[in-house]
Amino acid sequence: MIKISLCLFLVSVPFFAIICSAFSEDRPTDRRVLVLLDDFAIKSSHSIFFKSLETRGFDLDFKLADDPKLALQRYGQYLYDAIVLFAPTIDRFGGSVDAASLLEFVDSGHDLILAADTSASDLIREIAVECGVDFDEDPTAMVIDHTNHAVSETEGHHTLIANDDFVNSEVILGSRKIEAPVLFKGIGHSINPSSSLVTKVLSASPAAYSANPKSKLSSPPTLIGSAISLVSVVQARNNARILISGSLTVFSDRFFRSGVQKAGSTTKHEKCGNEQFFVELSKWVFHERGHLKAVNVRHNKVGETDEPSMYRIKDDLEYSVEVYEWSGSSWEPYVAGDMQVQFYMMSPYVLKTLSSNEKGLYYTSFKIPDVYGVFQFKVEYQRLGYTALSLSKQIPVRPFRHNEYERFIPAALPYYGASFSMMSGFFVFTLVYLYTK
Amino acid sequence: MLFQLIQSTLPGKEKPGFDNLYFFVKKKQGVQTERRVIVVVGGTKIVVRGGKLVAVGICIPVEVISSLQNPNSLTVEIPNSDPIHQIRPMVAAKMEKSAADLPASPGLSSVLKSLKLKTKQQELLIRVSVLFLVYVLAFITRLFSILRYESMIHEFDPYFNYRVTQFLTQNGFYEFWNWFDYESWYPLGRIVGGTLYPGLMVTAAFIFWTLRFLRFAVHIREVCVLTAPFFAANTTIVAYFFGKELWDSGAGLVAAVLIAICPGYISRSVAGSYDNEGVAIFALLLTFYLFVKAVNTGSLAWALASAFGYFYMVSAWGGYVFIINLIPLYVLVLLITGRYSMRLYVAYNCMYVLGMLLAMQIRFVGFQHVQSGEHMAAMGVFFLIQFLPSHQYSRPTISRFYVVIIKAILTSSYLVQVFNFLDWVKYLLDDPKKFHTFLRFTVTSAVGLGAVALGVGTASGYISPWTGRFYSLLDPTYAKDHIPIIASVSEHQPTAWSSFMFDFHILLFLFPAGLYFCFKRLSDATIFIVMYGLTSMYFAGVMVRLILVATPAVCLISAIAVSATVKNLTQLVRSKSKPAPAGSSKGASNTKASSKGSLEQSMPFGRNGAIALLLGALYLLSRYVIHCTWVTSEAYSSPSIVLAARGAHGQRVIFDDYREAYFWLRQNTPPEAKVMSWWDYGYQITAMGNRTVIVDNNTWNNTHIATVGRAMSSYEDEAYEIIKSLDVDYVLVVFGGVTGYSSDDINKFLWMVRIGGGVFPVIKEPDYLVNGEYRVDKGGAPKMLNCLMYKLCYYRFGELTTEYGKPPGYDRARGVEIGNKDIKLEHLEEAFTTSNWIVRIYKVKPPNNRW
């Protein structure tokens, strides 16, 4: 009987997975992806990229960006989990969609892949700016690199760049090293200095600059060197992920298939790094990698199991939290040695590194300091590429009760002696005084 | 010149009509060579020489010659021509009356007795019914606020007291004692049990439990609302007995009436004003009364009672410091004026030692009686009076030795034994010169030692220095320069003349008159009330709220003036109508009549003048009653949480915005939400809104308050950092620009700047002023027009037309058009604004999602 039900359960798991295919807390990988295009030609010219998404189980819904029936929501529910915006020239979205609603889509926890290009419209720029990224304001400007360009017969302006200046993060770019340089041809962007959430995934070489390749430089370019980012990712505070690329062409089949030889280098790669780079990047953006969750935050006094509503100063307590990483299909224990918990009231009073049991459980124990107040257990775990874990749990710490102090202390023996001798002395004196003539 | 007490009352027989009758014997070198008899009548000494009165006057040692063999048969003959006697006819009359009583012939006396008894009963009846009416009056005159509004708690601090009382009644005493409140002073929290005076809450809870026990199903709120009026009514009874102790029962009755309706007291004891002062004034007066009683009688029982009164006072209010400084001062004055007696010794020692031990049981007070500078005066006086040689006991043989030990035990101090050792030494040393040298040496070294101990104690921190509040009492300008948080409270401002007039009315004029009467009939008791009156009047001048402490003294002293004047005048009036009232109920006699006659000769229009004066007094007193009732109903019965105003057509408009806002907070915010506001509203938010606050009216942590002040006076983005660091979810401001409500946050704002700037020098007051002027209109300082408080108060106010014929954005509280109408909020958003805009609540937005 148990076997049968187990079988049923096992059979039903994938079924449920299909039903509950939408993005959720438990299954953070996106499922339904809206692809907005300038024209349907892009669907075929970028088919490798789309194919890789479809093979990974995404439902792609191709729409023209100015489709008048375009809608992100129905009955207050989002219809999609992610948007791929491959429409760099669009001035106005169709239907009810505008920049604000697109950003709201991101702010409600959904992902976005945004590709601009040389003639990027104001709308695309506006969305990018809202994500903390500023494209070069000159609409004709392109990133030019006279030292790191790709060897090419047709391209004389050195705007086709072969770049391998990747961000050093296995989480974002996958564990397999990208051997070949990535070909890039498009506009550069800079990161707004006040934004702390943007990461340059592919930055330009120090020799690069952004200018109009067809005209002479009349003034020094504003964007120069490694301040130029070619491809950036943003992980928003609600863990929505955004990919911003200064070029749409980099996703194209032509680039994906192209070989590359960096100028000044003799090695010629049969295949450039674009496919691997962007496919891995899309895995990260669509939460197939680097997504953490923390569950079962628990704390209790040593020797007890229930979570108290209040601690007392100098109590010994245990704190534990379980952290898992989403592998794309299941939750795996997350193993790291650098997770710390703070016992915090305006400043951390206790800061301890959590021990791990390698199965996702992190735990520690410590003594509460001799300070009362409203404390918080804080875990602030921010690692590049990973979901930012920010756990805080409020707990008041009270001082001793009146009957929790030591009743007799040895240091006070003289005082005890004094009071008792005074009492007996008074008694004796009373007797003497009353009964002697 | 030292006198030794041998008998405190007349031996045997019932007490004669004297207030006190003492015999003093002058002693010379242990041998009784000279004797003199001084009869003390109500503070005036009558010196009897050989059975004849030789002098009446204020206690000045007079050489007395002869001895009095039998005190039982004391007869005094008072010569008519005695000039001093004319000044004090009443005393003389009393003297005569009792003297006449003793040898009275049996026939006449029995007739008199029956008559007298009846009168006495009548008088008692009148007295009791008057007192009862006063009791009821004192209670019901404080109910205006309930009739005008509803049965509700008033103002700020009472809400905390109410919340604590609720906690006490729900969770019991031990939970209350150990209550750690994490809803206030986030994230520091507050140990409520150890940082409050629990007397009020325990009293209310006790009344509540009693009523519950008697099966009266009352709500705790009703008990709290009516606690203050109930105790005010009880105060009138204490005032009666105090007045009786000081002067006579007439003065007591007048004092009861005066204090029942005195606005200075009503201001803190109307129904709903559930604050410490409500019970503390009762406790204060009770302690003083019992202490004066103890001093007058020298009875341990009264001293013990006064120690318990002191304990109740300590448990109820921080103003107990006044008692613990006034009483030693009083003892010192008596010492200096040569009125030191064994009665005083007993009363003070018992009261101080027991009172101190009892007061230590209050957690909030703890060891302050031995460790804080404010309590050192009492301790110093305590040690000082141990120096003074003790007086004879009835058993002279071994008593000296025992006295030393009694004192030692009484004081429970080994140190003091050294001082009492003096007595013993004196007993052993025969030569007074030797003893005096020894005494001088010991006293000097002891005082020096005490000074050194005090200095070392202060320097080492064992004895804490005086607190800022104490300093600001002694030096009214201290707080303004050093502690803005004390100076910012309106009730801590120096008192204006008008508020003296407002709170005391005719008592202000009767007070000096009463002082005159007190000085005329100086006794231990009147010295006390004079000192109480003068010191408390000084403190009332320093701080508005301390008018409250002065009120009982002013009422008592004025009552003496009223009572004595009216009594004198009526006697004058009646003596004319009845030229020879021999054997009348008042016990007037020939002597008295003749004294009246002599008075009349000096005042030919005495009777008419007396009638006129009586009518005048009646008029004044009735004006007082009218004034008091008017003040109570108009000024002091407003709960200040619900505001009332007159509408355009004269109808009453109620602004119930505070409760609206707090109710919104309670219903619409998450339970663990933290609300930041200026500290004035902290208690109300926790009590009514049930939400955590950053700072509240218990202003114990200046830095925390300064942080809030800094946030309010910074630009929005700077303030946002502070707000985030304090985990604030909502910001609440009070704004009166729409209704013209002037005690709002904009008017309090400069104090926020000052308090914030006191800790964080980046906040500078001149940045918010233009040429030293505080403006919110176009001419205002740029920082002022863009700081967080300004933005939160005036957000979208520029769109609103508040008054007909004025431009939009016209601030009615300040009467100007605001200077910054285009206010954009970046990190906060408006969450709720009450119907009259008095309370505005803003939600703190989470940080930008994509930045």
Side-chain angles (χ1 to χ4, degrees):
Chain A
M1 191 66 198
I2 293 167
K3 248 181 191 172
I4 292 169
S5 62
L6 197 69
C7 284
L8 268 175
F9 177 72
L10 286 176
V11 165
S12 62
V13 164
F15 181 67
F16 281 130
I18 292 162
I19 288 179
C20 319
S21 60
F23 178 89
S24 70
E25 288 284 314
D26 291 336
R27 303 186 62 79
T29 304
D30 300 331
R31 288 292 141 197
R32 300 162 302 171
V33 180
L34 174 68
V35 184
L36 295 177
L37 306 169
D38 269 342
D39 63 85
F40 281 117
I42 296 176
K43 187 177 171 185
S44 53
S45 66
H46 293 61
S47 60
I48 299 178
F49 181 68
F50 294 134
K51 185 75 87 193
S52 88
L53 291 183
E54 274 171 341
T55 49
R56 287 186 351 242
F58 295 98
D59 300 330
L60 300 189
D61 187 359
F62 294 94
K63 289 230 165 100
L64 282 179
D66 52 0
D67 185 343
K69 286 189 203 144
L70 194 61
L72 298 180
Q73 282 186 332
R74 185 181 292 158
Y75 311 129
Q77 297 287 317
Y78 279 105
L79 298 169
Y80 307 100
D81 302 322
I83 292 177
V84 177
L85 187 51
F86 279 178
T89 57
I90 188 78
D91 286 323
R92 248 185 108 253
F93 291 117
S96 60
V97 182
D98 55 8
S101 67
L102 202 67
L103 291 166
E104 209 184 300
F105 177 78
V106 172
D107 287 346
S108 54
H110 301 95
D111 306 321
L112 175 69
I113 293 179
L114 176 88
D117 223 326
T118 32
S119 52
S121 67
D122 288 344
L123 181 66
I124 297 299
R125 286 166 187 275
E126 187 194 333
I127 294 170
V129 165
E130 286 295 324
C131 297
V133 160
D134 299 321
F135 281 113
D136 193 341
E137 282 175 19
D138 182 359
T140 56
M142 291 180 86
V143 183
I144 304 168
D145 196 327
H146 297 302
T147 56
N148 287 314
H149 55 92
V151 176
S152 162
E153 278 108 50
T154 54
E155 227 284 331
H157 292 297
H158 296 168
T159 53
L160 181 66
I161 302 167
N163 202 326
D164 49 9
D165 202 355
F166 306 121
V167 68
N168 181 21
S169 166
E170 286 192 2
V171 189
I172 297 178
L173 294 180
S175 49
R176 195 159 63 86
K177 194 171 182 301
I178 301 171
E179 300 289 344
V182 168
L183 284 173
F184 182 90
K185 183 178 185 178
I187 57 171
H189 58 259
S190 64
I191 290 161
N192 193 317
S194 66
S195 171
S196 56
L197 300 171
V198 188
T199 311
K200 281 188 249 183
V201 186
L202 183 65
S203 37
S205 77
Y209 65 96
S210 175
N212 184 357
K214 295 191 175 92
S215 66
K216 269 193 170 175
L217 272 180
S218 54
S219 57
T222 47
L223 281 180
I224 47 167
S226 41
I228 302 176
S229 175
L230 307 175
V231 178
S232 299
V233 291
V234 183
Q235 178 165 271
R237 288 183 206 278
N238 63 356
N239 292 318
R241 288 173 177 174
I242 305 163
L243 167 66
I244 296 169
S245 159
S247 164
L248 177 58
T249 345
V250 289
F251 294 94
S252 68
D253 296 355
R254 189 162 63 86
F255 272 48
F256 273 28
R257 290 200 193 106
S258 153
V260 65
Q261 186 187 2
K262 214 172 174 181
S265 157
T266 51
T267 46
K268 184 169 168 46
H269 298 274
E270 280 302 309
K271 202 161 172 260
C272 67
N274 281 36
E275 181 171 1
Q276 191 192 349
F277 179 75
F278 284 106
V279 167
E280 291 297 324
L281 210 50
S282 74
K283 283 185 184 166
W284 180 82
V285 172
F286 290 155
H287 293 275
E288 286 169 66
R289 207 168 39 225
H291 188 98
L292 301 180
K293 76 166 179 182
V295 289
N296 290 338
V297 181
R298 300 162 63 88
H299 55 85
N300 53 266
K301 267 194 201 173
V302 172
E304 291 175 17
T305 49
D306 288 342
E307 192 171 292
S309 61
M310 195 186 262
Y311 284 109
R312 197 198 66 191
I313 54 170
K314 293 182 174 173
D315 268 350
D316 289 301
L317 62 82
E318 288 170 338
Y319 176 86
S320 68
V321 59
E322 289 170 38
V323 183
Y324 296 100
E325 185 182 7
W326 180 246
S327 68
S329 55
S330 65
W331 290 103
E332 303 294 335
Y334 175 71
V335 181
D338 57 353
M339 199 170 287
Q340 289 182 319
V341 64
Q342 305 173 24
F343 198 57
Y344 181 94
M345 181 180 76
M346 301 223 275
S347 60
Y349 279 77
V350 174
L351 178 63
K352 283 206 94 174
T353 305
L354 295 165
S355 332
S356 167
N357 71 346
E358 311 280 312
K359 285 174 185 160
L361 178 72
Y362 290 83
Y363 58 92
T364 191
S365 65
F366 56 87
K367 188 189 263 300
I368 294 178
D370 191 4
V371 178
Y372 58 82
V374 183
F375 281 83
Q376 286 172 21
F377 291 105
K378 266 194 175 184
V379 174
E380 294 285 345
Y381 191 72
Q382 279 145 357
R383 294 291 177 274
L384 182 63
Y386 282 109
T387 311
L389 287 183
S390 183
L391 314 173
S392 70
K393 202 162 196 183
Q394 181 175 313
I395 186 84
V397 174
R398 65 171 171 81
F400 285 119
R401 285 173 66 91
H402 70 283
N403 52 4
E404 284 173 339
Y405 292 97
E406 275 181 281
R407 173 103 342 182
F408 294 105
I409 46 176
L413 276 174
Y415 302 101
Y416 303 145
S419 50
F420 282 108
S421 69
M422 176 62 87
M423 280 191 251
S424 50
F426 180 74
F427 186 68
V428 170
F429 168 75
T430 317
L431 287 182
V432 172
Y433 184 70
L434 289 177
Y435 298 108
T436 50
K437 175 66 204 147
Chain B
M1 190 178 283
L2 299 169
F3 298 105
Q4 287 190 338
L5 173 77
I6 50 168
Q7 272 154 328
S8 60
T9 52
L10 267 180
K13 298 284 278 182
E14 72 276 9
K15 259 176 136 182
F18 306 126
D19 289 1
N20 298 294
L21 184 57
Y22 299 119
F23 291 76
F24 289 92
V25 176
K26 193 188 174 195
K27 199 175 162 236
K28 216 178 232 174
Q29 295 174 9
V31 191
Q32 295 178 358
T33 52
E34 279 186 348
R35 298 181 71 184
R36 67 173 178 181
V37 181
I38 300 171
V39 187
V40 180
V41 184
T44 310
K45 288 187 179 175
I46 296 167
V47 183
V48 181
R49 181 196 298 169
K52 287 196 175 183
L53 184 81
V54 293
V56 181
I58 300 161
C59 177
I60 301 160
V62 182
E63 288 303 316
V64 172
I65 300 95
S66 125
S67 66
L68 187 74
Q69 295 306 326
N70 185 4
N72 286 340
S73 61
L74 172 71
T75 49
V76 185
E77 213 176 277
I78 297 165
N80 279 346
S81 57
D82 190 349
I84 306 167
H85 164 241
Q86 281 187 353
I87 299 168
R88 312 277 322 164
M90 276 169 53
V91 177
K94 269 198 161 175
M95 197 60 199
E96 175 54 33
K97 180 185 87 183
S98 55
D101 265 1
L102 290 170
S105 60
L108 188 63
S109 81
S110 64
V111 175
L112 278 176
K113 225 175 192 174
S114 60
L115 236 169
K116 217 177 218 171
L117 228 69
K118 226 174 176 179
T119 326
K120 263 194 174 166
Q121 279 174 340
Q122 282 172 354
E123 199 197 337
L124 186 72
L125 182 69
I126 292 173
R127 212 185 295 163
V128 167
S129 45
V130 166
L131 214 52
F132 175 73
L133 287 175
V134 170
Y135 190 88
V136 174
L137 172 72
F139 189 80
I140 59 173
T141 193
R142 286 166 167 82
L143 301 185
F144 269 114
S145 58
I146 293 184
L147 300 178
R148 288 279 160 80
Y149 298 90
E150 59 181 77
S151 172
M152 64 192 290
I153 308 286
H154 291 189
E155 296 194 317
F156 305 104
D157 289 20
Y159 271 97
F160 169 74
N161 299 333
Y162 174 53
R163 178 166 167 250
V164 174
T165 314
Q166 267 184 320
F167 187 89
L168 172 60
T169 52
Q170 281 161 13
N171 299 298
F173 187 75
Y174 281 110
E175 285 303 311
F176 161 73
W177 194 246
N178 290 304
W179 186 20
F180 176 67
D181 176 22
Y182 51 87
E183 285 200 348
S184 56
W185 290 94
Y186 180 87
L188 307 170
R190 176 183 177 187
I191 311 171
V192 173
T195 56
L196 54 54
Y197 293 100
L200 177 74
M201 300 85 184
V202 173
T203 306
F206 183 72
I207 295 172
F208 175 71
W209 285 325
T210 311
L211 289 174
R212 279 294 165 111
F213 179 73
L214 297 174
R215 300 294 181 269
F216 287 104
V218 291
H219 190 268
I220 181 67
R221 193 191 69 238
E222 313 294 342
V223 177
C224 292
V225 164
L226 294 177
T227 298
F230 173 62
F231 271 86
N234 293 340
T235 309
T236 60
I237 304 291
V238 179
Y240 165 72
F241 284 108
F242 203 175
K244 197 176 162 195
E245 190 65 28
L246 291 170
W247 201 259
D248 53 23
S249 57
L253 278 180
V254 177
V257 179
L258 291 183
I259 205 165
I261 56 171
C262 185
Y265 184 26
I266 283 184
S267 66
R268 293 313 191 96
S269 62
V270 291
S273 179
Y274 180 56
D275 209 347
N276 291 337
E277 291 94 328
V279 295
I281 293 305
F282 166 77
L284 178 89
L285 207 58
L286 186 70
T287 312
F288 282 156
Y289 162 64
L290 292 171
F291 183 72
V292 168
K293 188 94 183 166
V295 171
N296 276 347
T297 57
S299 142
L300 264 179
W302 286 114
L304 185 68
S306 96
F308 275 100
Y310 179 65
F311 171 59
Y312 186 55
M313 176 69 188
V314 173
S315 79
W317 195 35
Y320 77 87
V321 177
F322 180 60
I323 298 185
I324 203 63
N325 281 296
L326 179 64
I327 285 182
L329 190 68
Y330 167 64
V331 171
L332 209 61
V333 167
L334 287 195
L335 282 183
I336 290 164
T337 53
R339 285 174 164 270
Y340 174 73
S341 64
M342 201 62 199
R343 295 168 286 122
L344 183 69
Y345 182 82
V346 169
Y348 183 70
N349 277 335
C350 178
M351 191 267 169
Y352 176 68
V353 173
L354 282 173
M356 176 173 73
L357 288 176
L358 286 169
M360 281 181 178
Q361 311 310 311
I362 305 296
R363 253 179 104 190
F364 194 28
V365 177
F367 285 98
Q368 277 185 32
H369 275 79
V370 289
Q371 284 191 341
S372 109
E374 281 118 57
H375 303 76
M376 283 300 127
M379 187 178 274
V381 168
F382 169 69
F383 283 135
L384 185 69
I385 61 172
Q386 310 308 328
F387 276 106
L388 300 168
S390 56
H391 304 285
Q392 288 168 337
Y393 278 77
S394 48
R395 287 192 292 177
T397 44
I398 54 164
S399 67
R400 192 72 50 79
F401 174 70
Y402 281 119
V403 166
V404 174
I405 295 180
I406 286 174
K407 281 184 173 182
I409 286 170
L410 189 68
T411 55
S412 318
S413 162
Y414 292 111
L415 186 67
V416 176
Q417 277 187 347
V418 179
F419 301 147
N420 288 295
F421 184 68
L422 286 176
D423 274 334
W424 196 46
V425 170
K426 188 186 174 189
Y427 173 66
L428 294 179
L429 287 173
D430 280 344
D431 188 1
K433 267 189 185 165
K434 267 189 200 165
F435 175 71
H436 273 291
T437 325
F438 180 75
L439 187 70
R440 202 174 302 135
F441 171 73
T442 327
V443 168
T444 320
S445 55
V447 168
L449 214 71
V452 168
L454 197 68
V456 169
T458 315
S460 65
Y462 184 74
I463 298 173
S464 66
W466 289 350
T467 59
R469 273 171 212 263
F470 200 75
Y471 268 123
S472 60
L473 276 180
L474 299 180
D475 175 10
T477 57
Y478 181 83
K480 214 168 79 187
D481 299 337
H482 296 94
I483 332 167
I485 200 144
I486 290 180
S488 75
V489 182
S490 65
E491 61 183 21
H492 290 167
Q493 302 299 319
T495 317
W497 270 113
S498 56
S499 47
F500 272 117
M501 195 61 209
F502 200 65
D503 279 354
F504 289 144
H505 199 239
I506 58 160
L507 304 186
L508 209 54
F509 305 108
L510 292 174
F511 179 67
L515 286 183
Y516 167 76
F517 280 104
C518 288
F519 275 112
K520 289 282 288 206
R521 208 174 103 183
L522 218 52
S523 69
D524 291 355
T526 48
I527 289 180
F528 182 83
I529 195 68
V530 166
M531 289 186 56
Y532 174 25
L534 291 178
T535 50
S536 63
M537 272 308 250
Y538 169 73
F539 291 132
V542 175
M543 268 192 201
V544 177
R545 71 189 293 207
L546 293 182
I547 280 192
L548 182 72
V549 176
T551 303
V554 171
C555 286
L556 280 164
I557 292 174
S558 307
I560 288 172
V562 171
S563 172
T565 315
V566 169
K567 210 166 196 171
N568 284 351
L569 290 174
T570 42
Q571 271 171 0
L572 214 60
V573 172
R574 286 167 67 164
S575 67
K576 184 79 179 185
S577 58
K578 283 185 245 171
S584 82
S585 61
K586 280 284 170 191
S589 68
N590 290 330
T591 325
K592 186 181 175 183
S594 58
S595 79
K596 291 279 144 59
S598 67
L599 261 173
E600 225 175 289
Q601 281 168 3
S602 60
M603 292 169 66
F605 304 107
R607 186 172 176 247
N608 291 339
I611 290 172
L613 282 174
L614 267 180
L615 287 176
L618 197 69
Y619 174 74
L620 272 182
L621 288 172
S622 59
R623 290 309 305 177
Y624 173 71
V625 172
I626 291 166
H627 171 81
C628 290
T629 317
W630 175 76
V631 167
T632 310
S633 83
E634 292 298 319
Y636 288 146
S637 291
S638 137
S640 96
I641 186 123
V642 177
L643 309 165
R646 294 257 170 252
H649 307 292
Q651 81 281 21
R652 227 157 67 103
V653 186
I654 294 282
F655 300 131
D656 203 356
D657 286 39
Y658 281 106
R659 294 198 292 178
E660 187 186 345
Y662 299 140
F663 195 70
W664 183 88
L665 273 181
R666 180 188 278 259
Q667 298 291 323
N668 294 287
T669 59
E672 68 279 5
K674 285 106 197 166
V675 183
M676 183 174 92
S677 70
W678 190 233
W679 59 265
D680 296 22
Y681 317 107
Y683 278 164
Q684 293 177 348
I685 293 170
T686 36
M688 278 188 276
N690 197 20
R691 291 294 173 266
T692 306
V693 293
I694 307 297
V695 292
D696 65 27
N697 309 44
N698 177 263
T699 52
W700 64 276
N701 189 325
N702 192 30
T703 314
H704 221 52
I705 292 180
T707 310
V708 173
R710 183 186 176 187
M712 292 297 192
S713 37
S714 303
Y715 294 124
E716 194 186 346
D717 45 351
E718 293 161 11
Y720 186 66
E721 296 296 316
I722 300 170
I723 284 173
K724 288 314 283 182
S725 73
L726 290 171
D727 297 330
V728 173
D729 299 305
Y730 290 88
V731 182
L732 180 149
V733 293
V734 170
F735 173 60
V738 177
T739 49
Y741 171 55
S742 61
S743 56
D744 65 350
D745 277 347
I746 290 286
N747 280 356
K748 288 172 187 169
F749 180 63
L750 273 190
W751 288 110
M752 301 181 205
V753 173
R754 274 175 211 151
I755 292 168
V759 177
F760 304 104
V762 287
I763 304 291
K764 294 181 198 71
E765 193 179 338
D767 292 349
Y768 300 86
L769 303 174
V770 175
N771 300 328
E773 206 183 339
Y774 180 61
R775 306 174 64 163
V776 295
D777 58 356
K778 278 203 174 57
K783 183 136 196 202
M784 176 70 212
L785 298 186
N786 288 294
C787 68
L788 184 69
M789 177 52 81
Y790 191 94
K791 278 180 147 186
L792 297 187
C793 282
Y794 290 118
Y795 180 64
R796 298 190 63 196
F797 183 67
E799 304 163 20
L800 187 78
T801 307
T802 51
E803 212 165 308
Y804 179 73
K806 300 281 189 209
Y810 179 76
D811 184 333
R812 294 178 68 189
R814 279 145 295 264
V816 291
E817 185 187 348
I818 60 167
N820 184 357
K821 290 188 187 175
D822 182 35
I823 292 169
K824 297 264 186 296
L825 289 173
E826 194 184 339
H827 301 293
L828 292 105
E829 59 187 357
E830 188 178 1
F832 184 67
T833 295
T834 55
S835 46
N836 298 300
W837 290 49
I838 289 180
V839 184
R840 310 195 71 182
I841 300 170
Y842 292 84
K843 189 179 193 314
V844 179
K845 285 194 213 165
N848 192 316
N849 190 32
R850 282 164 273 111
W851 283 68

